[in-house]
Amino acid sequence: MNGPSGPTGETDGEKRSPMESGAGRSRGRLKVFLGFAAGVGKTFEMLNEANRRVQRGQDVVIGFVETHARAGTAAQIGDLETVPRRRIEYRGATFEEMDALALLQRRPQWALVDELAHTNAPGSLREKRWQDVGALLQAGINVATTLNVQHLESLNDTVFDITGIRVRETVPDDVVRQATEIKLVDITPRALIHRLERGDIYAGDRVHNALNNWFREGNLNALREIALREVAHEVDDEVEAWRHARNLTETWATHDRVLVCIDPDRPSLRLLRRGWKIAQRLHGEITAVFVERTQPSTRQLEILKSDFALADRLNVPVVTLYGDVAAEIVRYAREHQITQVVLGQPEPQRFTLRAHGTVAARVARDLQGVDILLVGSAETGA
């Protein structure tokens, strides 16, 4: 077995020359072609892009590509240079693995490495292929790779709950988070099933079993939704990093996010229900906030207990903030790109006396471009 490895996948006993270690060369870029099942076209897309890079004069080699005898994928290999695989003997059988050392010595601009989650055969330099990829990146080699979303470590239990199948080969989320680009390769589950039925994914004797297991349409719909959400979160992170780098504070409505503001002085049940309905209709996210100014009184605690219980039943996360109510709501809304704020309507006498000082007025003044919904206060708790 291999010894323990660091973040780059380099084992304790591995000896590398300064050239192989990438000394003086910046870390390579990682591009992930992400799908939700075998057969969606990840490897095809990776090879297709590689051919375009070669046409533009870039140095691209195949480190490891598995065609699974699919004619369309095999055709995409074309004239792409391939680094010969390493043959490993284990218990009387011969296995073929990516030759990471040969790739490090070849030092291409881009290396194509299929199936990031793959476990290498015993006797390989590293246990996992994602560790080999880490070594290539560390040496300054750009890597394009493929991955199905169910192999993400953090999703292992979720995928098991959906499919009843425990995925054994996983990739740490941090490895994928380091990608400079994630490209979703997507088709509809129905189209994927048609591919399977035509024999475009597996040979005939495997199709029936696949249709009754992993490729059940319900499974595929759920896995596809997970993949879409993962990519959406990645895009959100990139947008937020870009905005942060430029000190942008105005709201961009790239995704609907509803914020419900819980008031400890009166029940907010109607606000929670209204906000939840809006979020459901818009297929958006919803969060509730409670801003604690002082230690809540006994009456306020009773109101909050009821509000929090409803939020829990509606699966609305509640965030507790501390400080000036309006200032904290504005800060939270800006930081989380809130597009709609749901507040309780000010009581008439309070609004008349302090028209410019109410929480609603200050939030509306400071959150330009955010929709503010004031919900009537006729509710007494029901």
Side-chain angles (χ1 to χ4, degrees):
M1 296 296 291
N2 298 316
S5 59
T8 66
E10 182 180 358
T11 57
D12 292 342
E14 183 181 357
K15 303 295 185 183
R16 298 188 300 167
S17 68
M19 178 178 289
E20 291 167 350
S21 70
R25 189 171 177 176
S26 60
R27 183 178 173 83
R29 294 158 53 197
L30 176 64
K31 179 166 184 174
V32 179
F33 291 80
L34 182 70
F36 66 89
V40 297
K42 303 178 298 298
T43 305
F44 183 96
E45 286 294 326
M46 180 177 68
L47 291 167
N48 187 270
E49 181 179 293
N51 280 299
R52 295 197 301 274
R53 290 186 182 279
V54 170
Q55 290 172 4
R56 295 198 295 269
Q58 297 183 20
D59 179 24
V60 182
V61 304
I62 293 176
F64 192 100
V65 162
E66 183 57 75
T67 66
H68 296 287
R70 295 166 192 159
T73 304
Q76 285 296 314
I77 291 178
D79 296 327
L80 290 171
E81 178 185 341
T82 301
V83 172
R85 300 179 181 183
R86 183 184 181 200
R87 296 170 65 85
I88 297 174
E89 305 291 335
Y90 180 71
R91 293 186 176 178
T94 302
F95 299 89
E96 291 189 344
E97 298 290 356
M98 181 176 75
D99 193 335
L101 184 58
L103 275 169
L104 288 167
Q105 293 170 337
R106 169 62 177 78
R107 296 177 66 78
Q109 189 175 359
W110 280 91
L112 310 182
V113 183
D114 215 358
E115 300 181 354
L116 184 65
H118 172 76
T119 300
N120 292 328
S124 300
L125 192 60
R126 303 176 187 84
E127 182 182 0
K128 300 289 187 178
R129 184 166 291 162
W130 58 263
Q131 294 175 319
D132 286 333
V133 166
L136 299 178
L137 295 171
Q138 188 67 26
I141 299 171
N142 301 320
V143 176
T145 188
T146 63
L147 178 73
N148 280 325
V149 72
Q150 60 267 26
H151 292 291
L152 278 175
E153 178 64 45
S154 65
L155 297 175
N156 196 259
D157 291 332
T158 301
V159 172
F160 177 74
D161 291 342
I162 293 170
T163 64
I165 299 171
R166 180 66 71 182
V167 176
R168 300 300 176 188
E169 293 183 320
T170 60
V171 176
D173 290 49
D174 283 349
V175 172
V176 180
R177 295 281 181 258
Q178 293 172 15
T180 49
E181 185 178 356
I182 297 177
K183 180 175 182 178
L184 180 66
V185 182
D186 183 45
I187 64 173
T188 66
R190 177 46 55 182
L192 182 62
I193 289 173
H194 286 329
R195 282 187 185 177
L196 182 65
E197 291 172 337
R198 289 196 302 266
D200 293 343
I201 301 175
Y202 297 134
D205 56 344
R206 295 179 59 191
V207 172
H208 179 75
N209 285 338
L211 286 170
N212 289 298
N213 290 285
W214 191 268
F215 281 76
R216 291 196 302 267
E217 191 163 1
N219 283 356
L220 297 178
N221 276 309
L223 292 167
R224 185 189 186 210
E225 180 177 350
I226 292 172
L228 291 169
R229 288 185 181 278
E230 285 297 315
V231 173
H233 289 158
E234 185 70 21
V235 172
D236 277 352
D237 291 344
E238 290 178 3
V239 171
E240 187 55 33
W242 192 89
R243 286 168 49 81
H244 182 73
R246 289 158 179 77
N247 295 318
L248 299 178
T249 57
E250 68 272 22
T251 297
W252 289 358
T254 56
H255 183 70
D256 285 296
R257 300 179 180 85
V258 179
L259 183 68
V260 176
C261 303
I262 292 177
D263 185 344
D265 293 323
R266 49 184 174 169
S268 301
L269 305 181
R270 180 173 293 186
L271 278 68
L272 286 163
R273 294 186 186 113
R274 182 68 66 86
W276 184 84
K277 287 180 180 177
I278 294 171
Q280 292 292 304
R281 188 172 67 248
L282 299 176
H283 301 288
E285 299 174 7
I286 180 172
T287 304
V289 295
F290 158 61
V291 183
E292 184 175 312
R293 293 164 297 177
T294 58
Q295 185 69 26
S297 66
T298 301
R299 178 178 177 277
Q300 287 175 327
L301 287 174
E302 285 298 317
I303 292 173
L304 291 171
K305 180 180 178 182
S306 176
D307 290 344
F308 288 3
L310 177 60
D312 186 58
R313 294 197 296 276
L314 295 176
N315 200 27
V316 176
V318 179
V319 177
T320 300
L321 307 173
Y322 301 91
D324 180 83
V325 177
E328 284 301 299
I329 291 172
V330 169
R331 180 188 62 78
Y332 186 91
R334 285 175 174 166
E335 289 181 358
H336 293 81
Q337 294 294 291
I338 298 298
T339 58
Q340 302 200 36
V341 174
V342 181
L343 285 157
Q345 191 174 53
E347 296 174 5
Q349 63 276 22
R350 292 169 64 185
F351 190 79
T352 301
L353 292 173
R354 297 182 291 143
H356 299 290
T358 63
V359 170
R362 291 175 58 195
V363 169
R365 181 194 64 199
D366 294 340
L367 284 181
Q368 297 293 320
V370 176
D371 293 338
I372 308 295
L373 174 63
L374 300 181
V375 177
S377 58
E379 165 195 344
T380 57

